[in-house]
Amino acid sequence: MHELTLAEARRVAVRAQLLTADRPDGGVLDVVRHLTVLQLDPTRYVAPSADLVLWSRFGSAYDAGELRDLLDRQVLLDHHQLARPAEDLALHRAEMARWPGPEPWKPHEEALVAWVEANDESRREVLELLRGDGPLPRSEIPDTTRVPWRSTGWNGEKNVKMLLTQLVERGEVARAGRTDGPVPEVLWDLAERVYPDDPVPDVDTARRERDRRRLASLGIARGKAAAVPAEPHGVGEAGEPATVAGVRGTWRVDPAWLDAATGPFAGRAAVLSPLDRLVADRKRMAELFDFDYLLEMYKPAAARRFGYWAMPVLWGADLVGKLDAAADREAGELRVDAVHEDRPWDDACRAAVRREVEDLARWLGLGVVDLGGGLG
């Protein structure tokens, strides 16, 4: 059982996420392989989240075209709106093969099976259409379902969308890129033409390997965590057990990062996407970093404390505040509306954050306008 102080645990987490003063010396593919996933959220209030995550690691040397090229060439694949290295899909295909999950099925899983079976003719038509004409956007796939998808939420009457979702879960269909144009659409194709033809391990082996890779990218995490869609926060039995002083319970730590806990540590300032993996697990973020944060883009403006797309600010191994900024591309400006300091920043911290904001503006091709952020 490793015993870590809170400061040591933070250093492990920050170094594992490639956010120290030593910028990554590899390319985008190397970094994504290490991080294991990049969330492909379309919000461009400042920049797409995937690009912000990579800019936070590389700085203004990051070329967003490199990520687009890797996705276009399907070296990285869009799976559940997460960019993953193509070779990692073999670790997910074993679970696809036993869709909707191990038996005995839960009531909602039984309902899914019944709905897909009731629309088996439509399923076969979609696969045949894609085989002949794919990849295709959803708008070019006709709705021939016999039994509609029943939902009181926003998926009501979206039969093709929900059928494609289940065909992805079954390993029959995959995202194959996006159309060009002002409002790009996802392209869908047969999974056999998208996923590499790699050997598929059994479910338990695949899950252990995914846990191992996830912990390697996080440094320290809970073995069990609340369930979330697509990419879990928990790491199972990966790594070795650890305690963190002042925090209840047991953690799992990757021993490869333990030198980061007690050895020399050179931190820096970093401005993060709200969806960055360092802060994506909000419970872990609160426990390890004592950081109060909530993504408020879905709240009414009057109810926001930090801002629509407020970006967490890292200083060394501490999360110290939020930066409320927006990219006004028509005006050619990166506008800083507010800086929220969780504790008073000293001159070194303020100057370092200012340099990061200037670097962000340079990467975006914009000028910086400080309208009250206090970074002047």
Side-chain angles (χ1 to χ4, degrees):
M1 179 73 71
H2 301 282
E3 298 178 355
L4 304 178
T5 67
L6 202 54
E8 289 169 345
R10 291 176 182 179
R11 289 197 289 268
V12 167
V14 169
R15 182 166 286 180
Q17 276 288 294
L18 309 179
L19 287 165
T20 63
D22 298 322
R23 301 271 187 175
D25 55 10
V28 168
L29 181 58
D30 293 329
V31 168
V32 177
R33 279 176 170 154
H34 174 76
L35 298 178
T36 70
V37 294
L38 277 179
Q39 187 163 338
L40 298 172
D41 188 274
T43 305
R44 297 182 72 248
Y45 199 69
V46 173
S49 179
D51 289 323
L52 279 176
V53 168
L54 292 169
W55 165 79
S56 293
R57 274 75 181 168
F58 289 109
S60 57
Y62 165 59
D63 179 3
E66 189 175 350
L67 175 60
R68 303 296 175 271
D69 179 64
L70 291 168
L71 288 166
D72 288 344
R73 292 191 291 115
Q74 296 183 348
V75 178
L76 295 177
L77 296 179
D78 177 355
H79 183 59
H80 294 310
Q81 289 187 277
L82 297 170
R84 300 181 184 273
E87 64 268 20
D88 284 4
L89 263 294
L91 299 176
H92 298 265
R93 288 170 60 199
E95 289 185 342
M96 296 177 189
R98 66 173 188 177
W99 173 92
E103 297 188 60
W105 292 330
K106 298 172 184 176
H108 74 276
E109 293 171 332
E110 292 179 345
L112 275 178
V113 172
W115 185 75
V116 172
E117 287 180 348
N119 290 298
D120 189 62
E121 184 176 347
S122 177
R123 166 186 159 271
R124 293 174 184 274
E125 289 172 354
V126 168
L127 296 177
E128 187 62 26
L129 178 64
L130 293 178
R131 188 174 301 281
D133 299 335
L136 292 173
R138 192 175 77 202
S139 60
E140 295 184 26
I141 300 175
D143 182 0
T144 62
T145 53
R146 297 178 59 187
V147 178
W149 178 266
R150 299 192 182 281
S151 171
T152 57
W154 55 30
N155 289 321
E157 299 184 1
K158 295 186 178 179
N159 300 324
V160 174
K161 173 187 174 181
M162 301 313 298
L163 183 58
L164 288 170
T165 297
Q166 298 313 314
L167 296 186
V168 169
E169 298 297 332
R170 289 163 58 97
E172 295 179 299
V173 166
R175 291 171 178 250
R178 291 179 178 270
T179 60
D180 295 325
V183 184
E185 286 189 78
V186 173
L187 291 169
W188 304 91
D189 204 352
L190 299 179
E192 65 194 51
R193 295 202 293 229
V194 177
Y195 299 158
D197 187 20
D198 295 331
V200 177
D202 64 77
V203 170
D204 291 337
T205 299
R207 186 174 294 133
R208 286 194 298 270
E209 179 60 12
R210 294 202 309 267
D211 289 343
R212 185 194 69 79
R213 295 188 189 189
R214 190 178 307 114
L215 181 59
S217 75
L218 295 172
I220 182 169
R222 295 288 193 183
K224 293 182 179 179
V228 293
E231 181 66 12
H233 295 317
V235 296
E237 295 300 312
E240 298 174 357
T243 59
V244 177
V247 183
R248 293 181 179 179
T250 303
W251 297 77
R252 306 297 298 186
V253 64
D254 187 332
W257 294 111
L258 285 174
D259 286 348
T262 57
F265 179 86
R268 62 177 175 89
V271 178
L272 307 177
S273 163
L275 307 179
D276 196 287
R277 289 293 285 173
L278 187 71
V279 298
D281 181 348
R282 304 298 199 223
K283 188 172 188 295
R284 171 181 179 265
M285 174 196 72
E287 289 181 315
L288 290 185
F289 292 93
D290 191 24
F291 189 58
D292 179 22
Y293 179 79
L294 183 68
L295 179 57
E296 298 176 320
M297 60 189 292
Y298 300 110
K299 281 189 171 187
R304 295 174 192 146
R305 291 184 297 159
F306 308 129
Y308 180 89
W309 187 253
M311 295 180 287
V313 176
L314 179 73
W315 173 234
D318 299 317
L319 289 166
V320 297
K322 302 94 178 168
L323 181 81
D324 181 14
D328 187 339
R329 291 168 178 83
E330 289 188 6
E333 299 170 346
L334 176 64
R335 189 180 68 248
V336 179
D337 292 326
V339 173
H340 304 276
E341 300 178 20
D342 283 31
R343 63 170 188 266
W345 295 357
D346 60 23
D347 291 343
C349 175
R350 190 174 304 280
V353 174
R354 175 76 192 195
R355 287 193 296 271
E356 282 298 291
V357 173
E358 290 171 343
D359 188 81
L360 175 59
R362 184 162 48 250
W363 172 66
L364 292 169
L366 305 174
V368 179
V369 177
D370 185 349
L371 299 180
L375 291 177

